[in-house]
Amino acid sequence: MDVQDVHGWLMQYLNEVPELFQRLPGSSIFLRYVKSSYQNDPVRSGIELFLCLFAVRYLLAPAYSTQKKSHVKLSEEEVDELVDEWTPEPLVASQTAFEEAENEKRPVIVGPTGPKSKLSNGRTVTNLASYNYYNFVANETLKEKAIQTLRTYGVGPCGPPGFYGTQDVHMKTEADIAAHLGAPACIVYAQAFSTISSVIPAFSKRGDIIVADRAVNYAVRKGLQISRSTVRWYDHNDLDDMQRVLERVVKEQAKKPLTRRFIVTEGLFEDVGDMIDLPKIIELKLRYKFRLILDETWSFGVLGRNGRGITEHQNVDAAEVDMIVGSLAGPLCAGGGFCAGSDEIVEHQRISAAAYTFSAALPAMLATTASETLSMLQTMPDILAQSRENVKTMWAQLDPRSDWVHCTSSPENPMMLLILKPDVVTQKKLTVADQEALLQDVVDEVRLASAILNSAPSFAIAFPMPVARAVPLCLANSVLITRLKSMPRAGSSKEAGAEDPQPALKVCVTTGLSKKEIERAGVTIRHAITKVVKARK
């Protein structure tokens, strides 16, 4: 075959190829696309050609392994030896001697809980160790509603809210909370603890700035840690220090890329009991352009004329707070938590908040209970007034009359935290561990009610006859209180700026007791404190 034959065959092949290509279905459309694309944007045609060639080469390339065999191959004997030498770290730290002794004496309630509870040893106690502020646990209407809901919806939805866990009662509870607070929208979570610890990382990420109070509770600190944001602490409830931190943050970030900035604090502090100055914080957050995440776990259902929280108590529009986080457990005797805010804030959490997306929805029975208790707070404000009167009564028996402790809680807070006075700690040279042990002795002494027995003569002289005659009744009905038990702050570098909570007694006042019963309980607690502290050398 000479050159002319090859040339003739090649020309014939080139003439036949277009004809064969045109016979293919859709070939004319492809040709028009290539011509118009090249005429309008030749660079695009070049990029598409390159991608086509790259795809062809990738598909025709030989297979290769991504596993780099750089590890040392061990024999079975060596593997067994390494396994035998490995010692796993314990999931939970071993109990201390103090914790073991505390667990041995831990009281066990038999039967339903309430203002008067029966222990496993047969003794009936006045229960001031639960968050049953309004005695909702004994309300027959709530019980009937809960039972009816249980029979209708079952125990739980067994699925996340975003899949098939949301039921009509959940939507009603969200609407009820939003209407109660005066917020545009609300989202309900299944667990109270994980609400704030999911809300914070849903909005604040790595590189964002969070300014937080040093005394925030453990759930808030977990949320700060999970968010991986830069946390700047300010002294507890010190708004001057808070303003200084905000000014420093604004100055540092002036020449840096714009980041999200948040203020995180509580309405009523779980570990201290005091209250924030919300109007001043609103003023600072507007001045320095921060968003406010307010944890009202312990103030929602407690503060305000109708229990709307610190916004109602301090006459602040709920819309001025970017995110209001609260609990449906505790005072409301239900379960779960919520976050109220704008529609955008709520809808964002439905796809980005871990506790909402990956947890089963709140049981319908608890959602119904929360709606009913909210309705009761709105229609029966006398419940909150009675609670505050009982708190005043307990205050009168403890804080001004005791030489050993004082109350750090706000006067409106039914959860009273009693800490040892600084001069007592200094005089007796008490460490934190010593204070914990001493307060635990007080808890045990109050439960046994031996303090009044040993001081009955002086008690009868110091108080009027009606109260003195109550001594036998106090002995028959001991008082159940507890200590403040909070996780330590110093366990992580992320929490290096937070403060460790001061050891304290926790007394939860309830409306299920009369004024005289509150007085008797207060006297019992005060005498027990006196006896234990005096016995401490």
Side-chain angles (χ1 to χ4, degrees), residues 75-316:
S75 63
E76 292 185 3
E77 292 78 8
E78 290 173 327
V79 172
D80 293 338
E81 184 179 353
L82 290 175
V83 170
D84 293 338
E85 293 177 355
W86 178 67
T87 303
E89 295 183 1
L91 296 177
V92 179
S94 301
Q95 286 187 344
T96 63
F98 173 72
E99 291 173 339
E100 290 180 355
E102 181 185 2
N103 287 333
E104 290 177 359
K105 297 182 291 185
R106 191 181 303 278
V108 178
I109 295 178
V110 178
T113 185
K116 299 288 186 179
S117 300
K118 186 176 181 179
L119 302 184
S120 57
N121 59 9
R123 181 187 292 266
T124 300
V125 295
T126 299
N127 189 353
L128 298 181
S130 70
Y131 304 125
N132 184 27
Y133 299 154
Y134 310 119
N135 198 25
F136 283 151
V137 296
N139 189 285
E140 293 300 327
T141 302
L142 291 177
K143 290 181 182 179
E144 292 175 3
K145 287 281 186 179
I147 293 173
Q148 181 180 357
T149 306
L150 179 64
R151 290 173 175 169
T152 304
Y153 293 89
V155 176
C158 301
F163 189 25
Y164 56 83
T166 299
Q167 299 169 313
D168 56 348
V169 290
H170 297 124
M171 301 173 68
K172 181 180 183 301
T173 301
E174 291 177 349
D176 291 342
I177 297 172
H180 186 68
L181 285 171
C186 175
I187 181 174
V188 169
Y189 288 76
Q191 304 90 16
F193 179 90
S194 61
T195 302
I196 185 65
S197 59
S198 293
V199 170
I200 293 174
F203 293 93
S204 185
K205 309 295 183 181
R206 186 189 299 274
D208 296 334
I209 307 295
I210 295 178
V211 175
D213 192 294
R214 292 185 188 274
V216 290
N217 60 54
Y218 183 67
V220 174
R221 287 184 279 123
K222 288 295 102 179
L224 299 178
Q225 185 179 12
I226 295 170
S227 72
R228 299 176 295 176
S229 302
T230 302
V231 181
R232 301 293 174 83
W233 303 94
Y234 65 90
D235 294 339
H236 172 58
N237 235 353
D238 186 345
L239 297 187
D240 292 333
D241 187 55
M242 176 183 178
Q243 183 174 356
R244 179 186 61 80
V245 174
L246 294 176
E247 289 178 350
R248 186 178 65 184
V249 170
V250 171
K251 185 177 180 180
E252 291 175 353
Q253 298 295 317
K255 296 182 180 180
K256 296 182 180 180
L258 185 63
T259 59
R260 287 166 293 208
R261 305 169 187 176
F262 299 89
I263 297 172
V264 178
T265 186
E266 297 182 68
L268 284 175
F269 286 88
E270 177 182 353
D271 296 336
V272 184
D274 55 351
M275 187 190 309
I276 61 169
D277 184 355
L278 186 57
K280 179 64 175 178
I281 292 179
I282 295 291
E283 177 187 342
L284 292 176
K285 80 115 178 172
L286 293 175
R287 183 189 307 175
Y288 295 101
K289 296 180 175 60
F290 277 68
R291 296 180 177 93
L292 175 60
I293 301 177
L294 179 62
D295 184 9
E296 288 215 64
T297 297
W298 302 103
S299 54
F300 181 74
V302 172
L303 298 180
R305 183 177 180 275
N306 296 103
R308 292 185 175 90
I310 197 168
T311 53
E312 182 183 33
H313 182 73
Q314 297 186 354
N315 297 318
V316 174

Side-chain angles (χ1 to χ4, degrees), residues 307-365:
R308 292 185 175 90
I310 197 168
T311 53
E312 182 183 33
H313 182 73
Q314 297 186 354
N315 297 318
V316 174
D317 187 356
E320 297 187 38
V321 181
D322 298 280
M323 282 162 268
I324 298 178
V325 180
S327 170
L328 301 177
L332 299 186
C333 291
F338 70 88
C339 178
S342 65
D343 292 323
E344 294 79 8
I345 285 175
V346 168
E347 293 306 318
H348 175 74
Q349 295 176 63
R350 297 194 190 278
I351 58 174
S352 62
Y356 186 87
T357 307
F358 301 110
S359 296
L362 182 70
M365 175 178 60

